[in-house]
């Protein structure tokens, strides 16, 4: 729920309530994220967003102290809130930025849990910072938080961006706050090759400008890339890293963990890794559905790929995560025809089966809000592909052949594999169809592990 300032003036909480103040406050994930954190232990509390214009911040803060248990602040209030606070913790003071306020015993104290969100994300990736060389792209709010943590943890931080004097200003601020740290600025065209960690604190690559990238290539010795952006999860910078098999992390875990950090400050509750992982999964899935509509203008996810590539299993799990409805196109056809596919093949032959397949695919393509798992040969007909792409994003499961062989295990009813040397036949068919899948699909995801497959599909959208 997002209230206007006037609505907040009239707002009377019926249970412990927390709020996010920002301006303008458009779409924010914070209310659902905090609701998910409250739900982990059925904690009875509410979280609202309030659009607070800068000139109303003093009045809104006074009301918050009466009505709320705690506050989050986002742009443009993180600095402007400081004069109203009774106390401020050292990290927030060093950064001159408060994103969390706790009201306790009539006093207000400010914190910066973005730092915690970032540090906890790195910790979970087992990334150590001491003695490492970190390249920090950007010098805004997020970059300051991330640079501060890296410098405090003993990394040598090099700030860069399109404006060298602004990069130098952040380097000086961090150096002043942390006198023992090593922080410097560098022009983008002179990046040392011994950088080990690259951190993106710019919005370059964020939706809808996803092709923008803060770097053309990563320094030679890069071991880890962190991008504060989370929409898309797979940013241009992260793609650069994947091309070189470098470990990466997008900004969604930082967002979840900073919210968890705020709730720990407000309520004293802590959150297990599993609880945070499960919220992260939910958020990635929600974002995938949102991106399906916003980026691609589509309503369905359609999975194609060779038989045994995991379309049905993955599709069912993706549907459960996203809240979309799952349909297996082959099972739909069998249910409508009241015959199994092997029976149709045996009684009428493949040509009749393919006509029926087209008929039922056309029906499914007219629906929306679905994950559709296609039969292995469904995309061989251009009319099927055209119908499915009208409403759906076509994703190819590029499962390696050895995994397919394992999945099929040669016991299932696969009409095209009934005769002769099954292994040789399967390999021939796999090779013949692969280029078609790659050609027709909007996205292709290659992995042999099911859990990774689902994760990659959701994050690739
Ligand atoms: P900010 O304070 O406005 O800083 C933006 C930074 O990016 C500045 O250094 C700016 O440099 C640079 N920049 C902007 N446009 C650029 C361009 N076209 N080319 C080169 N540099 C450009 O913003 P912020 O709050 O730090 O947010 C930065 C990113 O971090 C956003 O994508 C935001 O969504 C993300 N973020 C994530 C989290 C999280 O929890 N994951 C938290 C906060 C922010 P100039 O001053 O030269 O324009």
């Amino acid at each position: 729920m997002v209230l206007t300032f006037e609505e907040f003036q009239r707002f009377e909480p019926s249970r412990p309530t927390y709020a996010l103040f920002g301006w303008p406050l458009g779409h924010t994930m914070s209310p659902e994220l905090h609701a998910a954190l409250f739900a982990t232990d059925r904690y009875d509390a509410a979280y609202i967003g309030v659009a607070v214009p800068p000139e109303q911040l003093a009045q809104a803060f006074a009301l918050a102290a009466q009505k709320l248990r705690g506050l989050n602040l986002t742009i443009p209030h993180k600095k402007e809130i400081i004069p109203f606070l009774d106390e401020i913790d050292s990290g927030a003071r060093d950064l001159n930025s408060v994103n969390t306020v706790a009201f306790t015993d009539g006093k207000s104290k400010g914190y910066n849990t973005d730092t915690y969100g970032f540090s906890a994300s790195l910790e979970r990736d087992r990334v150590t910072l001491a003695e490492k060389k970190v390249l920090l792209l950007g010098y805004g709010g997020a970059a300051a938080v991330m640079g501060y943590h890296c410098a405090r943890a003993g990394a040598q931080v090099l700030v860069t961006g399109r404006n060298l004097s602004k990069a130098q200003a952040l380097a000086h601020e961090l150096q002043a706050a942390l006198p023992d740290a090593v922080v410097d600025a560098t022009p983008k065209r002179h990046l040392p090759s011994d950088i080990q960690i690259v951190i993106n604190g710019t919005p370059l690559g964020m939706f809808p400008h996803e092709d923008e990238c803060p770097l053309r290539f990563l320094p030679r010795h890069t071991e880890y890339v962190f991008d504060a952006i989370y929409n898309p999860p797979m940013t241009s910078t992260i793609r650069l890293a994947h091309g070189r098999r470098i470990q990466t992390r997008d900004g969604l875990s930082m967002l979840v963990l900073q919210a968890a950090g705020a709730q720990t400050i407000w309520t004293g509750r802590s959150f297990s890794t599993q609880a945070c992982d499960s919220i992260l999964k939910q958020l990635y899935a929600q974002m995938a559905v949102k991106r399906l509509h916003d980026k691609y203008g589509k309503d369905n996810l359609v999975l194609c790929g060779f038989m045994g590539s995991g379309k049905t299993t993955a599709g069912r799990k993706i549907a459960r995560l996203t809240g979309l409805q799952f349909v297996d196109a082959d099972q739909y056809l069998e249910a409508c025809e009241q015959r199994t596919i092997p029976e149709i093949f045996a009684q009428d032959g493949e040509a009749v089966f393919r006509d029926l397949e087209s008929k039922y695919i056309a029906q499914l393509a007219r629906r929306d809000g679905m994950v559709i798992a296609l039969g292995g040969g469904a995309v061989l007909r251009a009319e099927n592909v055209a119908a499915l792409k009208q409403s759906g994003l076509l994703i190819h499961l590029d499962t390696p052949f050895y995994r397919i062989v394992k999945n099929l295990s040669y016991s299932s009813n696969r009409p095209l594999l009934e005769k002769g040397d099954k292994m040789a036949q399967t390999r021939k068919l796999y090779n013949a169809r692969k280029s078609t899948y790659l050609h027709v699909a909007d996205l292709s995801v290659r992995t042999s592990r099911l859990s990774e497959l689902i994760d990659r599909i959701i994050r690739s959208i």
Side-chain angles (χ1 to χ4, degrees), residues 74-75 78 99 113-114 117-118 121 137-146 159-164 166-167 170 188 200-207 212-214 226-231 250-259:
T74 186
I75 293 167
K78 288 186 177 187
N99 80 328
T113 64
D114 284 335
F118 175 65
S121 292
L137 301 161
Y139 29 72
V145 161
M146 298 188 288
V159 187
T160 194
R162 61 179 167 186
N163 182 322
L164 183 59
K166 286 193 190 177
L170 177 61
K188 238 166 140 182
N200 181 29
T202 76
L204 290 170
M206 194 162 78
F207 177 79
E212 293 179 351
C213 192
F226 185 92
D227 197 330
I229 294 172
Y230 47 84
N231 182 14
D250 65 72
L252 201 60
S253 61
M254 178 174 170
L255 186 80
V256 169
L257 293 167
Q258 65 74 29

Side-chain angles (χ1 to χ4, degrees), residues 8 11-21 34 38 43-48 50 60-73 85-86 98-111 261-269:
F8 181 58
F11 174 71
E12 289 303 334
S14 55
R15 54 190 175 139
T17 300
Y18 302 84
L20 171 68
F21 283 4
H34 280 278
F38 290 139
Y43 190 80
D44 182 28
Y47 190 98
I48 57 173
V50 187
F61 181 74
L63 287 170
Q66 292 163 22
K67 299 182 187 213
L68 306 176
R69 301 283 177 95
L71 262 187
N72 280 141
L73 288 311
L85 302 172
D86 296 309
V98 165
N99 80 328
T100 299
V101 174
F103 296 113
T104 324
D105 302 328
K107 297 253 185 236
S108 57
K109 182 167 178 178
Y111 303 83
Q263 288 208 7
T264 300
I265 289 169
W266 294 330
T267 68
R269 291 148 52 246

